[in-house]
Amino acid sequence: MTESPATKPADGDVCQRVKNGLNLEKNGVLKSLHRCHEQQPKHHCQPEEEEVHAASHHDSQYNRPFLESFEETPMLVAVLTYMGYGILTIFGYLRDFLRHWKIERCHIAREKEEQRDFVPLYQDFENFYTRNLYMRIRDNWNRPICSVPGAKVDLMERTSRDYNWTFEYTGRVVLDVINLGSYNYLGFAENTGPCADSAAEITMKYGVGVASTRQEIGNLDRHEELEKLVAKFLGVESAMVFGMGFATNSMNIPALTGKGCLILSDELNHASLVLGARLSGSTIRVFKHNNMQSLEKLLRDAIVHGQPRTHRPWKKILIVVEGIYSMEGSIVRLPEVIDLKKRYRAYLYLDEAHSIGALGSRGRGVVDYFGLDPCDVDVLMGTFTKSFGAAGGYIAGKWELIEYLRSHSHSAVYATSMSPPVVEQIITSMKCIMGEDGTTIGCDRVRKLAENTVYFRRRLREMGFIIYGNEDSPVVPMMLYMPAKIGAFGREMLKRNIGVVVVGFPATPIIESRARFCISAAHTKEMLDRALSVISEVGDLLQLKYSRRRIQPSLSLPCDDIVFEDIDD
Amino acid sequence: MPPPPFHPACKMNFKNLLEYLAWLYYQYLLITGIYVLEPWEKSIFNSVLFSAIAMVIYTSYVFVPIHVRLALEFFSGIFGGQPESTMALMN
Ligand SMILES: Cc1ncc(COP(=O)(O)O)c(C=O)c1O
């Protein structure tokens, strides 16, 4: 599945390295081919495993090397992974058979007797997967915690006597688990310090909420202050905040586009963006992940052909991308996207949920990271859930845009306003990042996060793990592939007092299960070192060091000429 | 028995053979995916797999020699009947 004619050894002494985003299932065969002349010329050239998105011919647009790698799945591992799923599926069918004939008890929701002849509710693949694969390793998810989810976290110990169908709490607490799973990029998830204090103070003064919408009687001075602060933080004219990040996306995109509009969406966009795009009723076309050739082709087609059948021009074309993709750890190629958007006169919607605060020298997200002008992005969206340790989302941009949204967005009209303590947490942490509190804590945290990220990624790569994504992204996905290893990795790590997030289908393609580490500024060097040594130990135990890439000092050097080919059609 | 030096297991240090075998069994569990199964399912899988392997070994032990002998006879029937002169020609 992960092999294609394009990855087969090239003939002669020219070693072609295929560089594309993810595996071919997702990315098709549209890719750029980099020819490398310097690699062992006589030797029969092996399919080169490493795929690096070097900042190719657009070098000039990037102020620092844009290194993004998605090492290809080793063939043997892919085969074994499919075999593992095959075996588990067979046992799944066996168990379903037993349940059907009432030989064993069914613990999960199913149709009632009276509903027997109705359209089946629980028969699709995802239900099968939940019942027969996910339930077996369910102890790795939804672990209850009983402390602030900072750099360390306390877990409530639980056991299961019926193989994860039910859990019992033993009453013991697993103390000081190193937390590599929270989106706590800047370490603002704290229960002490200035943020917590001011939030407590505001709670005493304002209470916890007014149970009304912003348009009715829920509008507080703190909300207005926050909006001004967000606009200032991002360097745009105006901003607007919402109580929930997910709703910010899914309710505002429908306000921006409608019938006769075209949405060009990255294939790995978050569910909230997908939902928003679908609710809007516009035509949606999906381009390959972070693939600018694919985006350009769609844009060009959209402009040349217009709407289907009528061939009228599209009313609006909206490009929807994210700053950091939370499952791949990749960073959007924003300079190129902005270039395309300007050239084809499209609009750009940028979701900075993970990147705001976490990227850029000043913590202003991807725009800052690439040193671009925030006014080039038409709609800046982000959430306060990650870096700011709060909840909610914002939309920022031109004054006209925000005024329009204030009266047209469903989440502005119908949703209750943000709770004042949450607002206060955001204000305090944002001021801290901006340095307005008179300290350098914010700056230090942004720098510390960048350092931690580079260090953690480099060490993992040196150990021989397959790591996805951009060098500078604090989301670090490490490939596990095999279904049993998802469960084993989470359990073995917890046994050694490290909490990690493991991800499998449906959040990732079925064979690309992974562990996702989220680096935080709150992690000290000792914690990271301890975590790394444990990861290495577990990696040896479970044989996770799949990488066949030599550690090269420089990744972008060997490529002297670069050919972009469109082999799509 | 320590694992050979180039083996992936060389990064693990085992105290004794038993530990090494346990590790190998663990790898087997992980790769086949039966790590996540309940014990009775594991034993079903293991018994099916091992009986299949045993049958393959047994059949090959019983039948392969016969087939090899038949094949040899067949081919020697074809080539053995050639007159000497062809060989001479080829030389
Ligand atoms: C890209 C993206 N957008 C939006 C959201 C939703 O944000 P929230 O969790 O604040 O609702 C998330 C959260 O996971 C996200 O990753």
Side-chain angles (χ1 to χ4, degrees):
Chain A
M1 295 297 284
T2 51
E3 196 76 8
S4 86
T7 59
K8 294 269 149 57
D11 52 73
D13 49 4
V14 178
C15 170
Q16 287 191 324
R17 281 203 280 165
V18 178
K19 318 217 158 182
N20 70 330
L22 300 160
N23 70 346
L24 296 157
E25 281 165 289
K26 277 187 294 180
N27 259 24
V29 279
L30 178 73
K31 62 184 57 109
S32 44
L33 295 178
H34 293 222
R35 285 157 188 260
C36 299
H37 295 282
E38 293 173 14
Q39 303 230 328
Q40 332 99 327
K42 280 280 151 0
H43 191 253
H44 182 62
C45 184
Q46 286 169 290
E48 188 53 69
E49 296 314 317
E50 147 240 339
E51 302 168 5
V52 178
H53 272 198
S56 43
H57 63 307
H58 296 281
D59 255 338
S60 52
Q61 295 174 2
Y62 293 91
N63 48 11
R64 54 175 300 162
F66 186 79
L67 298 175
E68 205 149 272
S69 69
F70 298 95
E71 191 171 335
E72 194 165 305
T73 311
M75 194 59 181
L76 181 66
V77 175
V79 170
L80 292 175
T81 308
Y82 279 117
M83 187 193 76
Y85 276 110
I87 293 169
L88 293 181
T89 311
I90 293 172
F91 276 96
Y93 278 117
L94 173 70
R95 299 297 292 270
D96 271 0
F97 175 82
L98 295 183
R99 284 186 201 117
H100 184 252
W101 293 104
K102 308 244 166 41
I103 300 173
E104 78 166 293
R105 256 195 65 202
C106 182
H107 300 270
I108 206 165
R110 61 194 307 187
E111 286 94 348
K112 288 193 215 136
E113 267 311 293
E114 308 89 273
Q115 292 173 320
R116 245 217 332 241
D117 299 323
F118 285 36
V119 179
L121 289 172
Y122 302 110
Q123 255 180 22
D124 62 352
F125 179 69
E126 304 218 348
N127 278 302
F128 178 85
Y129 183 87
T130 312
R131 222 166 32 231
N132 295 308
L133 281 102
Y134 169 72
M135 285 313 269
R136 297 180 191 273
I137 48 175
R138 189 160 75 115
D139 54 324
N140 288 297
W141 289 278
N142 306 330
R143 290 177 183 144
I145 63 169
C146 51
S147 74
V148 62
K152 290 195 173 178
V153 63
D154 300 338
L155 295 185
M156 290 168 72
E157 195 184 71
R158 58 180 186 179
T159 56
S160 176
R161 281 198 228 154
D162 50 3
Y163 300 100
N164 292 347
W165 289 100
T166 57
F167 289 106
E168 278 163 30
Y169 293 101
T170 57
R172 281 188 295 271
V173 171
V174 193
L175 288 171
D176 287 337
V177 176
I178 295 179
N179 181 3
L180 287 178
S182 291
Y183 293 140
N184 176 23
Y185 298 122
L186 293 181
F188 281 112
E190 299 162 314
N191 53 4
T192 54
C195 295
D197 293 343
S198 57
E201 199 179 300
I202 285 289
T203 316
M204 302 310 278
K205 197 161 154 208
Y206 287 74
V208 290
V210 284
S212 179
T213 70
R214 294 283 301 279
Q215 290 198 347
E216 285 166 6
I217 52 169
N219 197 21
L220 301 177
D221 57 345
R222 305 309 282 169
H223 292 130
E224 312 234 322
E225 183 184 338
L226 176 60
E227 290 181 344
K228 290 211 188 74
L229 188 70
V230 171
K232 187 168 158 214
F233 179 70
L234 296 168
V236 292
E237 286 172 17
S238 189
M240 172 174 194
V241 296
F242 304 88
M244 174 182 174
F246 194 98
T248 311
N249 277 333
S250 52
M251 295 286 100
N252 284 307
I253 297 179
L256 294 171
T257 62
K259 241 172 152 271
C261 301
L262 175 68
I263 292 181
L264 297 178
S265 167
D266 192 290
E267 65 181 343
L268 296 181
N269 272 347
H270 188 253
S272 56
L273 293 166
V274 175
L275 179 67
R278 291 194 183 149
L279 286 178
S280 72
S282 341
T283 307
I284 304 166
R285 300 214 174 121
V286 176
F287 60 92
K288 283 154 197 146
H289 176 56
N290 230 351
N291 187 321
M292 292 306 121
Q293 285 91 349
S294 172
L295 175 60
E296 178 158 16
K297 188 165 176 298
L298 286 182
L299 273 170
R300 203 176 286 176
D301 280 355
I303 285 170
V304 171
H305 299 300
Q307 299 187 29
R309 287 202 297 280
T310 58
H311 295 291
R312 283 205 217 125
W314 293 100
K315 286 190 195 147
K316 278 176 226 159
I317 300 180
L318 183 69
I319 304 171
V320 180
V321 290
E322 281 180 36
I324 295 182
Y325 290 85
S326 60
M327 284 298 162
E328 316 298 316
S330 49
I331 296 179
V332 64
R333 298 167 154 270
L334 195 61
E336 289 167 67
V337 176
I338 288 184
D339 225 33
L340 286 177
K341 154 205 133 69
K342 283 188 177 157
R343 193 161 348 130
Y344 294 96
R345 303 271 162 85
Y347 294 104
L348 177 59
Y349 185 106
L350 175 65
D351 180 341
E352 294 219 69
H354 292 268
S355 51
I356 191 73
L359 274 189
S361 53
R362 291 152 61 240
R364 304 311 202 257
V366 262
V367 180
D368 181 24
Y369 175 74
F370 290 116
L372 300 167
D373 181 5
C375 299
D376 282 341
V377 182
D378 301 283
V379 191
L380 281 161
M381 181 270 166
T383 64
F384 302 121
T385 320
K386 280 99 191 175
S387 301
F388 301 99
Y394 67 81
I395 294 248
K398 295 239 164 20
W399 183 81
E400 294 89 345
L401 169 82
I402 303 303
E403 288 309 302
Y404 172 79
L405 283 179
R406 269 189 215 288
S407 50
H408 286 82
S409 151
H410 300 303
S411 51
V413 181
Y414 299 111
T416 46
S417 64
M418 234 178 191
S419 162
V422 175
V423 174
E424 193 55 31
Q425 161 82 18
I426 302 166
I427 292 180
T428 326
S429 53
M430 197 174 273
K431 281 193 174 153
C432 183
I433 302 172
M434 293 164 84
E436 284 194 3
D437 59 347
T439 65
T440 56
I441 296 176
C443 264
D444 293 343
R445 289 195 185 191
V446 171
R447 193 154 6 91
K448 177 89 176 139
L449 174 65
E451 270 166 28
N452 280 353
T453 302
V454 171
Y455 175 71
F456 195 78
R457 280 190 169 261
R458 181 173 55 81
R459 287 288 306 277
L460 280 186
R461 185 157 304 128
E462 280 167 6
M463 287 173 189
F465 293 106
I466 294 188
I467 304 296
Y468 271 12
N470 193 295
E471 299 283 291
D472 292 320
S473 131
V475 183
V476 189
M478 184 182 109
M479 303 314 286
L480 303 174
Y481 298 113
M482 297 174 199
K485 290 187 184 179
I486 308 175
F489 188 73
R491 288 176 195 164
E492 292 296 331
M493 292 300 282
L494 188 60
K495 247 188 237 169
R496 293 163 175 78
N497 245 22
I498 314 270
V500 295
V501 174
V502 282
V503 198
F505 182 82
T508 67
I510 192 129
I511 71 159
E512 290 185 18
S513 311
R514 59 196 71 176
R516 188 188 51 194
F517 308 117
C518 294
I519 307 305
S520 161
H523 290 136
T524 59
K525 182 104 188 316
E526 294 72 53
M527 284 185 207
L528 288 184
D529 280 336
R530 159 114 187 84
L532 283 163
S533 74
V534 168
I535 293 169
S536 178
E537 184 189 327
V538 176
D540 283 331
L541 178 68
L542 307 185
Q543 291 296 298
L544 294 173
K545 300 185 173 171
Y546 299 115
S547 182
R548 288 183 286 167
R549 185 197 293 179
R550 299 148 285 131
I551 303 297
Q552 300 143 304
S554 167
L555 297 165
S556 48
L557 270 184
C559 303
D560 40 298
D561 75 327
I562 294 146
V563 185
F564 283 94
E565 276 176 44
D566 193 339
I567 2 177
D568 203 13
D569 37 22
Chain B
M1 177 195 75
F6 49 82
H7 193 267
C10 65
K11 285 189 203 118
M12 312 276 301
N13 29 19
F14 300 106
K15 282 190 215 77
N16 50 34
L17 177 62
L18 205 65
E19 215 171 86
Y20 178 58
L21 289 180
W23 183 80
L24 279 186
Y25 180 65
Y26 190 61
Q27 297 307 311
Y28 159 76
L29 291 182
L30 286 174
I31 287 175
T32 51
I34 60 172
Y35 170 83
V36 303
L37 299 186
E38 290 167 28
W40 66 270
E41 290 169 309
K42 271 187 199 140
S43 36
I44 289 184
F45 182 85
N46 284 338
S47 21
V48 169
L49 186 72
F50 286 112
S51 46
I53 291 175
M55 275 190 276
V56 167
I57 292 174
Y58 179 71
T59 39
S60 48
Y61 172 73
V62 172
F63 292 108
V64 166
I66 298 174
H67 282 289
V68 168
R69 213 187 61 235
L70 287 177
L72 277 181
E73 274 169 20
F74 177 73
F75 285 114
S76 61
I78 292 174
F79 298 114
Q82 299 286 332
E84 285 287 291
S85 52
T86 15
M87 290 306 287
L89 270 178
M90 277 170 71
N91 290 337

